[in-house]
mmCIF file with all atom_site columns, all heavy atoms in Angstrom:
data_model
loop_
_atom_site.group_PDB
_atom_site.id
_atom_site.type_symbol
_atom_site.label_atom_id
_atom_site.label_alt_id
_atom_site.label_comp_id
_atom_site.label_asym_id
_atom_site.label_entity_id
_atom_site.label_seq_id
_atom_site.pdbx_PDB_ins_code
_atom_site.Cartn_x
_atom_site.Cartn_y
_atom_site.Cartn_z
_atom_site.occupancy
_atom_site.B_iso_or_equiv
_atom_site.pdbx_formal_charge
_atom_site.auth_seq_id
_atom_site.auth_comp_id
_atom_site.auth_asym_id
_atom_site.auth_atom_id
_atom_site.pdbx_PDB_model_num
ATOM 1   N N   . GLN A 1 1  ? 12.701  22.158  -11.009 1.00 0.00 ? 127 GLN A N   1
ATOM 2   C CA  . GLN A 1 1  ? 11.649  21.293  -11.522 1.00 0.00 ? 127 GLN A CA  1
ATOM 3   C C   . GLN A 1 1  ? 11.010  20.563  -10.352 1.00 0.00 ? 127 GLN A C   1
ATOM 4   O O   . GLN A 1 1  ? 11.689  19.987  -9.513  1.00 0.00 ? 127 GLN A O   1
ATOM 5   C CB  . GLN A 1 1  ? 12.216  20.267  -12.511 1.00 0.00 ? 127 GLN A CB  1
ATOM 6   C CG  . GLN A 1 1  ? 11.157  19.332  -13.084 1.00 0.00 ? 127 GLN A CG  1
ATOM 7   C CD  . GLN A 1 1  ? 11.747  18.321  -14.045 1.00 0.00 ? 127 GLN A CD  1
ATOM 8   O OE1 . GLN A 1 1  ? 12.957  18.298  -14.245 1.00 0.00 ? 127 GLN A OE1 1
ATOM 9   N NE2 . GLN A 1 1  ? 10.906  17.498  -14.637 1.00 0.00 ? 127 GLN A NE2 1
ATOM 10  N N   . VAL A 1 2  ? 9.688   20.614  -10.244 1.00 0.00 ? 128 VAL A N   1
ATOM 11  C CA  . VAL A 1 2  ? 8.951   19.939  -9.191  1.00 0.00 ? 128 VAL A CA  1
ATOM 12  C C   . VAL A 1 2  ? 8.579   18.542  -9.669  1.00 0.00 ? 128 VAL A C   1
ATOM 13  O O   . VAL A 1 2  ? 7.907   18.393  -10.698 1.00 0.00 ? 128 VAL A O   1
ATOM 14  C CB  . VAL A 1 2  ? 7.682   20.706  -8.798  1.00 0.00 ? 128 VAL A CB  1
ATOM 15  C CG1 . VAL A 1 2  ? 6.896   19.942  -7.738  1.00 0.00 ? 128 VAL A CG1 1
ATOM 16  C CG2 . VAL A 1 2  ? 8.053   22.097  -8.298  1.00 0.00 ? 128 VAL A CG2 1
ATOM 17  N N   . ILE A 1 3  ? 9.045   17.527  -8.937  1.00 0.00 ? 129 ILE A N   1
ATOM 18  C CA  . ILE A 1 3  ? 8.759   16.140  -9.291  1.00 0.00 ? 129 ILE A CA  1
ATOM 19  C C   . ILE A 1 3  ? 7.728   15.605  -8.305  1.00 0.00 ? 129 ILE A C   1
ATOM 20  O O   . ILE A 1 3  ? 7.975   15.534  -7.113  1.00 0.00 ? 129 ILE A O   1
ATOM 21  C CB  . ILE A 1 3  ? 10.031  15.269  -9.248  1.00 0.00 ? 129 ILE A CB  1
ATOM 22  C CG1 . ILE A 1 3  ? 11.083  15.841  -10.220 1.00 0.00 ? 129 ILE A CG1 1
ATOM 23  C CG2 . ILE A 1 3  ? 9.703   13.817  -9.570  1.00 0.00 ? 129 ILE A CG2 1
ATOM 24  C CD1 . ILE A 1 3  ? 12.395  15.111  -10.183 1.00 0.00 ? 129 ILE A CD1 1
ATOM 25  N N   . ASP A 1 4  ? 6.584   15.253  -8.785  1.00 0.00 ? 130 ASP A N   1
ATOM 26  C CA  . ASP A 1 4  ? 5.499   14.732  -7.952  1.00 0.00 ? 130 ASP A CA  1
ATOM 27  C C   . ASP A 1 4  ? 5.586   13.215  -7.953  1.00 0.00 ? 130 ASP A C   1
ATOM 28  O O   . ASP A 1 4  ? 5.110   12.543  -8.868  1.00 0.00 ? 130 ASP A O   1
ATOM 29  C CB  . ASP A 1 4  ? 4.154   15.204  -8.498  1.00 0.00 ? 130 ASP A CB  1
ATOM 30  C CG  . ASP A 1 4  ? 3.007   14.839  -7.559  1.00 0.00 ? 130 ASP A CG  1
ATOM 31  O OD1 . ASP A 1 4  ? 3.307   14.413  -6.436  1.00 0.00 ? 130 ASP A OD1 1
ATOM 32  O OD2 . ASP A 1 4  ? 1.839   14.987  -7.961  1.00 0.00 ? 130 ASP A OD2 1
ATOM 33  N N   . ARG A 1 5  ? 6.181   12.665  -6.907  1.00 0.00 ? 131 ARG A N   1
ATOM 34  C CA  . ARG A 1 5  ? 6.360   11.218  -6.820  1.00 0.00 ? 131 ARG A CA  1
ATOM 35  C C   . ARG A 1 5  ? 5.177   10.599  -6.085  1.00 0.00 ? 131 ARG A C   1
ATOM 36  O O   . ARG A 1 5  ? 4.731   11.119  -5.072  1.00 0.00 ? 131 ARG A O   1
ATOM 37  C CB  . ARG A 1 5  ? 7.663   10.882  -6.094  1.00 0.00 ? 131 ARG A CB  1
ATOM 38  C CG  . ARG A 1 5  ? 8.902   11.453  -6.768  1.00 0.00 ? 131 ARG A CG  1
ATOM 39  C CD  . ARG A 1 5  ? 10.153  11.016  -6.060  1.00 0.00 ? 131 ARG A CD  1
ATOM 40  N NE  . ARG A 1 5  ? 10.305  9.582   -6.084  1.00 0.00 ? 131 ARG A NE  1
ATOM 41  C CZ  . ARG A 1 5  ? 11.302  8.926   -5.486  1.00 0.00 ? 131 ARG A CZ  1
ATOM 42  N NH1 . ARG A 1 5  ? 12.214  9.596   -4.820  1.00 0.00 ? 131 ARG A NH1 1
ATOM 43  N NH2 . ARG A 1 5  ? 11.372  7.613   -5.559  1.00 0.00 ? 131 ARG A NH2 1
ATOM 44  N N   . PRO A 1 6  ? 4.663   9.491   -6.545  1.00 0.00 ? 132 PRO A N   1
ATOM 45  C CA  . PRO A 1 6  ? 3.521   8.847   -5.866  1.00 0.00 ? 132 PRO A CA  1
ATOM 46  C C   . PRO A 1 6  ? 3.924   8.270   -4.520  1.00 0.00 ? 132 PRO A C   1
ATOM 47  O O   . PRO A 1 6  ? 5.051   7.813   -4.330  1.00 0.00 ? 132 PRO A O   1
ATOM 48  C CB  . PRO A 1 6  ? 3.123   7.728   -6.843  1.00 0.00 ? 132 PRO A CB  1
ATOM 49  C CG  . PRO A 1 6  ? 4.374   7.438   -7.606  1.00 0.00 ? 132 PRO A CG  1
ATOM 50  C CD  . PRO A 1 6  ? 5.098   8.752   -7.735  1.00 0.00 ? 132 PRO A CD  1
ATOM 51  N N   . ASN A 1 7  ? 3.006   8.324   -3.553  1.00 0.00 ? 133 ASN A N   1
ATOM 52  C CA  . ASN A 1 7  ? 3.229   7.759   -2.220  1.00 0.00 ? 133 ASN A CA  1
ATOM 53  C C   . ASN A 1 7  ? 2.872   6.274   -2.255  1.00 0.00 ? 133 ASN A C   1
ATOM 54  O O   . ASN A 1 7  ? 1.699   5.903   -2.322  1.00 0.00 ? 133 ASN A O   1
ATOM 55  C CB  . ASN A 1 7  ? 2.370   8.496   -1.192  1.00 0.00 ? 133 ASN A CB  1
ATOM 56  C CG  . ASN A 1 7  ? 2.684   8.054   0.220   1.00 0.00 ? 133 ASN A CG  1
ATOM 57  O OD1 . ASN A 1 7  ? 3.457   7.134   0.435   1.00 0.00 ? 133 ASN A OD1 1
ATOM 58  N ND2 . ASN A 1 7  ? 2.082   8.722   1.193   1.00 0.00 ? 133 ASN A ND2 1
ATOM 59  N N   . THR A 1 8  ? 3.889   5.443   -2.211  1.00 0.00 ? 134 THR A N   1
ATOM 60  C CA  . THR A 1 8  ? 3.672   3.991   -2.309  1.00 0.00 ? 134 THR A CA  1
ATOM 61  C C   . THR A 1 8  ? 3.754   3.300   -0.955  1.00 0.00 ? 134 THR A C   1
ATOM 62  O O   . THR A 1 8  ? 3.802   2.075   -0.897  1.00 0.00 ? 134 THR A O   1
ATOM 63  C CB  . THR A 1 8  ? 4.715   3.370   -3.253  1.00 0.00 ? 134 THR A CB  1
ATOM 64  O OG1 . THR A 1 8  ? 6.036   3.632   -2.733  1.00 0.00 ? 134 THR A OG1 1
ATOM 65  C CG2 . THR A 1 8  ? 4.600   3.945   -4.654  1.00 0.00 ? 134 THR A CG2 1
ATOM 66  N N   . LEU A 1 9  ? 3.762   4.087   0.143   1.00 0.00 ? 135 LEU A N   1
ATOM 67  C CA  . LEU A 1 9  ? 3.917   3.480   1.463   1.00 0.00 ? 135 LEU A CA  1
ATOM 68  C C   . LEU A 1 9  ? 2.753   2.555   1.786   1.00 0.00 ? 135 LEU A C   1
ATOM 69  O O   . LEU A 1 9  ? 2.931   1.439   2.275   1.00 0.00 ? 135 LEU A O   1
ATOM 70  C CB  . LEU A 1 9  ? 4.030   4.567   2.533   1.00 0.00 ? 135 LEU A CB  1
ATOM 71  C CG  . LEU A 1 9  ? 4.146   4.081   3.988   1.00 0.00 ? 135 LEU A CG  1
ATOM 72  C CD1 . LEU A 1 9  ? 5.372   3.203   4.140   1.00 0.00 ? 135 LEU A CD1 1
ATOM 73  C CD2 . LEU A 1 9  ? 4.211   5.257   4.943   1.00 0.00 ? 135 LEU A CD2 1
ATOM 74  N N   . ILE A 1 10 ? 1.525   3.014   1.508   1.00 0.00 ? 136 ILE A N   1
ATOM 75  C CA  . ILE A 1 10 ? 0.353   2.186   1.817   1.00 0.00 ? 136 ILE A CA  1
ATOM 76  C C   . ILE A 1 10 ? 0.376   0.909   1.003   1.00 0.00 ? 136 ILE A C   1
ATOM 77  O O   . ILE A 1 10 ? 0.043   -0.170  1.490   1.00 0.00 ? 136 ILE A O   1
ATOM 78  C CB  . ILE A 1 10 ? -0.942  2.984   1.557   1.00 0.00 ? 136 ILE A CB  1
ATOM 79  C CG1 . ILE A 1 10 ? -1.015  4.194   2.484   1.00 0.00 ? 136 ILE A CG1 1
ATOM 80  C CG2 . ILE A 1 10 ? -2.167  2.109   1.739   1.00 0.00 ? 136 ILE A CG2 1
ATOM 81  C CD1 . ILE A 1 10 ? -2.245  5.050   2.283   1.00 0.00 ? 136 ILE A CD1 1
ATOM 82  N N   . GLN A 1 11 ? 0.789   1.026   -0.273  1.00 0.00 ? 137 GLN A N   1
ATOM 83  C CA  . GLN A 1 11 ? 0.861   -0.167  -1.104  1.00 0.00 ? 137 GLN A CA  1
ATOM 84  C C   . GLN A 1 11 ? 1.892   -1.151  -0.578  1.00 0.00 ? 137 GLN A C   1
ATOM 85  O O   . GLN A 1 11 ? 1.689   -2.364  -0.605  1.00 0.00 ? 137 GLN A O   1
ATOM 86  C CB  . GLN A 1 11 ? 1.208   0.227   -2.539  1.00 0.00 ? 137 GLN A CB  1
ATOM 87  C CG  . GLN A 1 11 ? 0.088   0.979   -3.243  1.00 0.00 ? 137 GLN A CG  1
ATOM 88  C CD  . GLN A 1 11 ? 0.483   1.398   -4.643  1.00 0.00 ? 137 GLN A CD  1
ATOM 89  O OE1 . GLN A 1 11 ? 1.628   1.798   -4.889  1.00 0.00 ? 137 GLN A OE1 1
ATOM 90  N NE2 . GLN A 1 11 ? -0.449  1.299   -5.567  1.00 0.00 ? 137 GLN A NE2 1
ATOM 91  N N   . LYS A 1 12 ? 2.998   -0.640  -0.055  1.00 0.00 ? 138 LYS A N   1
ATOM 92  C CA  . LYS A 1 12 ? 4.025   -1.522  0.491   1.00 0.00 ? 138 LYS A CA  1
ATOM 93  C C   . LYS A 1 12 ? 3.531   -2.228  1.743   1.00 0.00 ? 138 LYS A C   1
ATOM 94  O O   . LYS A 1 12 ? 3.874   -3.381  1.997   1.00 0.00 ? 138 LYS A O   1
ATOM 95  C CB  . LYS A 1 12 ? 5.294   -0.721  0.810   1.00 0.00 ? 138 LYS A CB  1
ATOM 96  C CG  . LYS A 1 12 ? 6.007   -0.200  -0.424  1.00 0.00 ? 138 LYS A CG  1
ATOM 97  C CD  . LYS A 1 12 ? 7.239   0.593   -0.047  1.00 0.00 ? 138 LYS A CD  1
ATOM 98  C CE  . LYS A 1 12 ? 7.957   1.114   -1.277  1.00 0.00 ? 138 LYS A CE  1
ATOM 99  N NZ  . LYS A 1 12 ? 9.159   1.917   -0.922  1.00 0.00 ? 138 LYS A NZ  1
ATOM 100 N N   . LEU A 1 13 ? 2.715   -1.527  2.547   1.00 0.00 ? 139 LEU A N   1
ATOM 101 C CA  . LEU A 1 13 ? 2.210   -2.125  3.780   1.00 0.00 ? 139 LEU A CA  1
ATOM 102 C C   . LEU A 1 13 ? 1.111   -3.138  3.511   1.00 0.00 ? 139 LEU A C   1
ATOM 103 O O   . LEU A 1 13 ? 1.053   -4.193  4.134   1.00 0.00 ? 139 LEU A O   1
ATOM 104 C CB  . LEU A 1 13 ? 1.680   -1.025  4.706   1.00 0.00 ? 139 LEU A CB  1
ATOM 105 C CG  . LEU A 1 13 ? 2.728   -0.087  5.302   1.00 0.00 ? 139 LEU A CG  1
ATOM 106 C CD1 . LEU A 1 13 ? 2.052   0.994   6.101   1.00 0.00 ? 139 LEU A CD1 1
ATOM 107 C CD2 . LEU A 1 13 ? 3.712   -0.852  6.172   1.00 0.00 ? 139 LEU A CD2 1
ATOM 108 N N   . ASN A 1 14 ? 0.218   -2.807  2.575   1.00 0.00 ? 140 ASN A N   1
ATOM 109 C CA  . ASN A 1 14 ? -0.947  -3.644  2.355   1.00 0.00 ? 140 ASN A CA  1
ATOM 110 C C   . ASN A 1 14 ? -0.766  -4.695  1.273   1.00 0.00 ? 140 ASN A C   1
ATOM 111 O O   . ASN A 1 14 ? -1.520  -5.655  1.211   1.00 0.00 ? 140 ASN A O   1
ATOM 112 C CB  . ASN A 1 14 ? -2.156  -2.768  1.987   1.00 0.00 ? 140 ASN A CB  1
ATOM 113 C CG  . ASN A 1 14 ? -2.517  -1.811  3.097   1.00 0.00 ? 140 ASN A CG  1
ATOM 114 O OD1 . ASN A 1 14 ? -2.277  -2.106  4.257   1.00 0.00 ? 140 ASN A OD1 1
ATOM 115 N ND2 . ASN A 1 14 ? -3.066  -0.663  2.755   1.00 0.00 ? 140 ASN A ND2 1
ATOM 116 N N   . GLY A 1 15 ? 0.216   -4.486  0.432   1.00 0.00 ? 141 GLY A N   1
ATOM 117 C CA  . GLY A 1 15 ? 0.401   -5.421  -0.671  1.00 0.00 ? 141 GLY A CA  1
ATOM 118 C C   . GLY A 1 15 ? -0.279  -4.909  -1.923  1.00 0.00 ? 141 GLY A C   1
ATOM 119 O O   . GLY A 1 15 ? -1.338  -4.293  -1.872  1.00 0.00 ? 141 GLY A O   1
ATOM 120 N N   . PRO A 1 16 ? 0.322   -5.125  -3.076  1.00 0.00 ? 142 PRO A N   1
ATOM 121 C CA  . PRO A 1 16 ? -0.224  -4.560  -4.310  1.00 0.00 ? 142 PRO A CA  1
ATOM 122 C C   . PRO A 1 16 ? -1.545  -5.175  -4.735  1.00 0.00 ? 142 PRO A C   1
ATOM 123 O O   . PRO A 1 16 ? -2.305  -4.592  -5.478  1.00 0.00 ? 142 PRO A O   1
ATOM 124 C CB  . PRO A 1 16 ? 0.876   -4.868  -5.334  1.00 0.00 ? 142 PRO A CB  1
ATOM 125 C CG  . PRO A 1 16 ? 1.578   -6.071  -4.780  1.00 0.00 ? 142 PRO A CG  1
ATOM 126 C CD  . PRO A 1 16 ? 1.541   -5.901  -3.295  1.00 0.00 ? 142 PRO A CD  1
ATOM 127 N N   . GLU A 1 17 ? -1.856  -6.388  -4.227  1.00 0.00 ? 143 GLU A N   1
ATOM 128 C CA  . GLU A 1 17 ? -3.051  -7.058  -4.715  1.00 0.00 ? 143 GLU A CA  1
ATOM 129 C C   . GLU A 1 17 ? -4.327  -6.506  -4.133  1.00 0.00 ? 143 GLU A C   1
ATOM 130 O O   . GLU A 1 17 ? -5.420  -6.772  -4.610  1.00 0.00 ? 143 GLU A O   1
ATOM 131 C CB  . GLU A 1 17 ? -2.968  -8.566  -4.417  1.00 0.00 ? 143 GLU A CB  1
ATOM 132 C CG  . GLU A 1 17 ? -3.164  -8.937  -2.946  1.00 0.00 ? 143 GLU A CG  1
ATOM 133 C CD  . GLU A 1 17 ? -1.920  -8.733  -2.115  1.00 0.00 ? 143 GLU A CD  1
ATOM 134 O OE1 . GLU A 1 17 ? -0.909  -8.316  -2.711  1.00 0.00 ? 143 GLU A OE1 1
ATOM 135 O OE2 . GLU A 1 17 ? -1.948  -8.999  -0.893  1.00 0.00 ? 143 GLU A OE2 1
ATOM 136 N N   . VAL A 1 18 ? -4.242  -5.704  -3.034  1.00 0.00 ? 144 VAL A N   1
ATOM 137 C CA  . VAL A 1 18 ? -5.465  -5.219  -2.402  1.00 0.00 ? 144 VAL A CA  1
ATOM 138 C C   . VAL A 1 18 ? -5.745  -3.755  -2.706  1.00 0.00 ? 144 VAL A C   1
ATOM 139 O O   . VAL A 1 18 ? -6.773  -3.237  -2.343  1.00 0.00 ? 144 VAL A O   1
ATOM 140 C CB  . VAL A 1 18 ? -5.395  -5.427  -0.872  1.00 0.00 ? 144 VAL A CB  1
ATOM 141 C CG1 . VAL A 1 18 ? -5.330  -6.889  -0.542  1.00 0.00 ? 144 VAL A CG1 1
ATOM 142 C CG2 . VAL A 1 18 ? -4.216  -4.678  -0.289  1.00 0.00 ? 144 VAL A CG2 1
ATOM 143 N N   . GLY A 1 19 ? -4.817  -3.094  -3.356  1.00 0.00 ? 145 GLY A N   1
ATOM 144 C CA  . GLY A 1 19 ? -5.057  -1.709  -3.723  1.00 0.00 ? 145 GLY A CA  1
ATOM 145 C C   . GLY A 1 19 ? -4.662  -0.738  -2.630  1.00 0.00 ? 145 GLY A C   1
ATOM 146 O O   . GLY A 1 19 ? -4.320  -1.133  -1.522  1.00 0.00 ? 145 GLY A O   1
ATOM 147 N N   . VAL A 1 20 ? -4.729  0.531   -2.974  1.00 0.00 ? 146 VAL A N   1
ATOM 148 C CA  . VAL A 1 20 ? -4.307  1.583   -2.053  1.00 0.00 ? 146 VAL A CA  1
ATOM 149 C C   . VAL A 1 20 ? -5.386  1.834   -1.011  1.00 0.00 ? 146 VAL A C   1
ATOM 150 O O   . VAL A 1 20 ? -6.558  1.970   -1.336  1.00 0.00 ? 146 VAL A O   1
ATOM 151 C CB  . VAL A 1 20 ? -3.997  2.875   -2.833  1.00 0.00 ? 146 VAL A CB  1
ATOM 152 C CG1 . VAL A 1 20 ? -3.597  3.980   -1.874  1.00 0.00 ? 146 VAL A CG1 1
ATOM 153 C CG2 . VAL A 1 20 ? -2.906  2.628   -3.856  1.00 0.00 ? 146 VAL A CG2 1
ATOM 154 N N   . GLY A 1 21 ? -4.966  1.891   0.279   1.00 0.00 ? 147 GLY A N   1
ATOM 155 C CA  . GLY A 1 21 ? -5.882  2.235   1.350   1.00 0.00 ? 147 GLY A CA  1
ATOM 156 C C   . GLY A 1 21 ? -6.773  1.100   1.814   1.00 0.00 ? 147 GLY A C   1
ATOM 157 O O   . GLY A 1 21 ? -7.676  1.325   2.602   1.00 0.00 ? 147 GLY A O   1
ATOM 158 N N   . VAL A 1 22 ? -6.550  -0.106  1.333   1.00 0.00 ? 148 VAL A N   1
ATOM 159 C CA  . VAL A 1 22 ? -7.368  -1.251  1.721   1.00 0.00 ? 148 VAL A CA  1
ATOM 160 C C   . VAL A 1 22 ? -6.503  -2.245  2.470   1.00 0.00 ? 148 VAL A C   1
ATOM 161 O O   . VAL A 1 22 ? -5.433  -2.622  2.005   1.00 0.00 ? 148 VAL A O   1
ATOM 162 C CB  . VAL A 1 22 ? -7.998  -1.936  0.491   1.00 0.00 ? 148 VAL A CB  1
ATOM 163 C CG1 . VAL A 1 22 ? -8.843  -3.123  0.912   1.00 0.00 ? 148 VAL A CG1 1
ATOM 164 C CG2 . VAL A 1 22 ? -8.844  -0.930  -0.283  1.00 0.00 ? 148 VAL A CG2 1
ATOM 165 N N   . ILE A 1 23 ? -6.939  -2.665  3.660   1.00 0.00 ? 149 ILE A N   1
ATOM 166 C CA  . ILE A 1 23 ? -6.189  -3.620  4.467   1.00 0.00 ? 149 ILE A CA  1
ATOM 167 C C   . ILE A 1 23 ? -6.631  -5.033  4.102   1.00 0.00 ? 149 ILE A C   1
ATOM 168 O O   . ILE A 1 23 ? -7.825  -5.322  4.021   1.00 0.00 ? 149 ILE A O   1
ATOM 169 C CB  . ILE A 1 23 ? -6.416  -3.356  5.964   1.00 0.00 ? 149 ILE A CB  1
ATOM 170 C CG1 . ILE A 1 23 ? -5.961  -1.937  6.318   1.00 0.00 ? 149 ILE A CG1 1
ATOM 171 C CG2 . ILE A 1 23 ? -5.668  -4.375  6.810   1.00 0.00 ? 149 ILE A CG2 1
ATOM 172 C CD1 . ILE A 1 23 ? -6.204  -1.565  7.764   1.00 0.00 ? 149 ILE A CD1 1
ATOM 173 N N   . ASP A 1 24 ? -5.671  -5.869  3.888   1.00 0.00 ? 150 ASP A N   1
ATOM 174 C CA  . ASP A 1 24 ? -5.944  -7.247  3.485   1.00 0.00 ? 150 ASP A CA  1
ATOM 175 C C   . ASP A 1 24 ? -6.633  -7.992  4.623   1.00 0.00 ? 150 ASP A C   1
ATOM 176 O O   . ASP A 1 24 ? -6.058  -8.138  5.706   1.00 0.00 ? 150 ASP A O   1
ATOM 177 C CB  . ASP A 1 24 ? -4.627  -7.932  3.101   1.00 0.00 ? 150 ASP A CB  1
ATOM 178 C CG  . ASP A 1 24 ? -4.851  -9.324  2.550   1.00 0.00 ? 150 ASP A CG  1
ATOM 179 O OD1 . ASP A 1 24 ? -6.012  -9.727  2.426   1.00 0.00 ? 150 ASP A OD1 1
ATOM 180 O OD2 . ASP A 1 24 ? -3.857  -9.999  2.237   1.00 0.00 ? 150 ASP A OD2 1
ATOM 181 N N   . PRO A 1 25 ? -7.840  -8.490  4.452   1.00 0.00 ? 151 PRO A N   1
ATOM 182 C CA  . PRO A 1 25 ? -8.523  -9.241  5.524   1.00 0.00 ? 151 PRO A CA  1
ATOM 183 C C   . PRO A 1 25 ? -7.757  -10.483 5.947   1.00 0.00 ? 151 PRO A C   1
ATOM 184 O O   . PRO A 1 25 ? -7.789  -10.862 7.128   1.00 0.00 ? 151 PRO A O   1
ATOM 185 C CB  . PRO A 1 25 ? -9.874  -9.607  4.881   1.00 0.00 ? 151 PRO A CB  1
ATOM 186 C CG  . PRO A 1 25 ? -10.065 -8.613  3.791   1.00 0.00 ? 151 PRO A CG  1
ATOM 187 C CD  . PRO A 1 25 ? -8.692  -8.310  3.276   1.00 0.00 ? 151 PRO A CD  1
ATOM 188 N N   . GLN A 1 26 ? -7.056  -11.103 5.029   1.00 0.00 ? 152 GLN A N   1
ATOM 189 C CA  . GLN A 1 26 ? -6.265  -12.282 5.386   1.00 0.00 ? 152 GLN A CA  1
ATOM 190 C C   . GLN A 1 26 ? -5.108  -11.911 6.302   1.00 0.00 ? 152 GLN A C   1
ATOM 191 O O   . GLN A 1 26 ? -4.763  -12.671 7.210   1.00 0.00 ? 152 GLN A O   1
ATOM 192 C CB  . GLN A 1 26 ? -5.746  -12.956 4.118   1.00 0.00 ? 152 GLN A CB  1
ATOM 193 C CG  . GLN A 1 26 ? -6.842  -13.553 3.237   1.00 0.00 ? 152 GLN A CG  1
ATOM 194 C CD  . GLN A 1 26 ? -6.281  -14.243 2.022   1.00 0.00 ? 152 GLN A CD  1
ATOM 195 O OE1 . GLN A 1 26 ? -5.073  -14.206 1.766   1.00 0.00 ? 152 GLN A OE1 1
ATOM 196 N NE2 . GLN A 1 26 ? -7.145  -14.893 1.264   1.00 0.00 ? 152 GLN A NE2 1
ATOM 197 N N   . ALA A 1 27 ? -4.520  -10.736 6.076   1.00 0.00 ? 153 ALA A N   1
ATOM 198 C CA  . ALA A 1 27 ? -3.433  -10.282 6.956   1.00 0.00 ? 153 ALA A CA  1
ATOM 199 C C   . ALA A 1 27 ? -3.956  -10.026 8.368   1.00 0.00 ? 153 ALA A C   1
ATOM 200 O O   . ALA A 1 27 ? -3.295  -10.349 9.359   1.00 0.00 ? 153 ALA A O   1
ATOM 201 C CB  . ALA A 1 27 ? -2.793  -9.014  6.388   1.00 0.00 ? 153 ALA A CB  1
ATOM 202 N N   . ILE A 1 28 ? -5.161  -9.444  8.465   1.00 0.00 ? 154 ILE A N   1
ATOM 203 C CA  . ILE A 1 28 ? -5.766  -9.218  9.776   1.00 0.00 ? 154 ILE A CA  1
ATOM 204 C C   . ILE A 1 28 ? -6.041  -10.546 10.474  1.00 0.00 ? 154 ILE A C   1
ATOM 205 O O   . ILE A 1 28 ? -5.781  -10.700 11.674  1.00 0.00 ? 154 ILE A O   1
ATOM 206 C CB  . ILE A 1 28 ? -7.071  -8.421  9.628   1.00 0.00 ? 154 ILE A CB  1
ATOM 207 C CG1 . ILE A 1 28 ? -6.769  -7.040  9.055   1.00 0.00 ? 154 ILE A CG1 1
ATOM 208 C CG2 . ILE A 1 28 ? -7.789  -8.305  10.963  1.00 0.00 ? 154 ILE A CG2 1
ATOM 209 C CD1 . ILE A 1 28 ? -8.017  -6.205  8.812   1.00 0.00 ? 154 ILE A CD1 1
ATOM 210 N N   . ALA A 1 29 ? -6.558  -11.513 9.717   1.00 0.00 ? 155 ALA A N   1
ATOM 211 C CA  . ALA A 1 29 ? -6.849  -12.823 10.303  1.00 0.00 ? 155 ALA A CA  1
ATOM 212 C C   . ALA A 1 29 ? -5.579  -13.501 10.796  1.00 0.00 ? 155 ALA A C   1
ATOM 213 O O   . ALA A 1 29 ? -5.573  -14.117 11.870  1.00 0.00 ? 155 ALA A O   1
ATOM 214 C CB  . ALA A 1 29 ? -7.556  -13.696 9.273   1.00 0.00 ? 155 ALA A CB  1
ATOM 215 N N   . ARG A 1 30 ? -4.495  -13.385 10.030  1.00 0.00 ? 156 ARG A N   1
ATOM 216 C CA  . ARG A 1 30 ? -3.233  -13.992 10.452  1.00 0.00 ? 156 ARG A CA  1
ATOM 217 C C   . ARG A 1 30 ? -2.708  -13.322 11.722  1.00 0.00 ? 156 ARG A C   1
ATOM 218 O O   . ARG A 1 30 ? -2.192  -14.003 12.623  1.00 0.00 ? 156 ARG A O   1
ATOM 219 C CB  . ARG A 1 30 ? -2.199  -13.890 9.333   1.00 0.00 ? 156 ARG A CB  1
ATOM 220 C CG  . ARG A 1 30 ? -2.480  -14.774 8.132   1.00 0.00 ? 156 ARG A CG  1
ATOM 221 C CD  . ARG A 1 30 ? -1.273  -14.851 7.221   1.00 0.00 ? 156 ARG A CD  1
ATOM 222 N NE  . ARG A 1 30 ? -0.931  -13.560 6.660   1.00 0.00 ? 156 ARG A NE  1
ATOM 223 C CZ  . ARG A 1 30 ? -1.396  -13.100 5.495   1.00 0.00 ? 156 ARG A CZ  1
ATOM 224 N NH1 . ARG A 1 30 ? -2.245  -13.841 4.796   1.00 0.00 ? 156 ARG A NH1 1
ATOM 225 N NH2 . ARG A 1 30 ? -1.024  -11.927 5.037   1.00 0.00 ? 156 ARG A NH2 1
ATOM 226 N N   . ALA A 1 31 ? -2.834  -11.998 11.810  1.00 0.00 ? 157 ALA A N   1
ATOM 227 C CA  . ALA A 1 31 ? -2.371  -11.280 13.002  1.00 0.00 ? 157 ALA A CA  1
ATOM 228 C C   . ALA A 1 31 ? -3.189  -11.665 14.222  1.00 0.00 ? 157 ALA A C   1
ATOM 229 O O   . ALA A 1 31 ? -2.642  -11.892 15.315  1.00 0.00 ? 157 ALA A O   1
ATOM 230 C CB  . ALA A 1 31 ? -2.451  -9.771  12.758  1.00 0.00 ? 157 ALA A CB  1
#
């Protein structure tokens, strides 16, 4: 059985509130 699991790495890096593939501008400002 092939299980297609979603790639949540980007969400873990960027945070769930900004969506997939979007970098939080506040995180950039803090860095």
Side-chain angles (χ1 to χ4, degrees):
Q127 180 181 2
V128 177
I129 301 176
D130 188 10
R131 301 184 62 183
N133 187 354
T134 60
L135 178 59
I136 297 179
Q137 291 178 321
K138 292 179 180 179
L139 291 176
N140 298 331
E143 73 280 359
V144 296
V146 178
V148 180
I149 300 177
D150 185 2
Q152 294 182 355
I154 297 177
R156 290 193 297 269

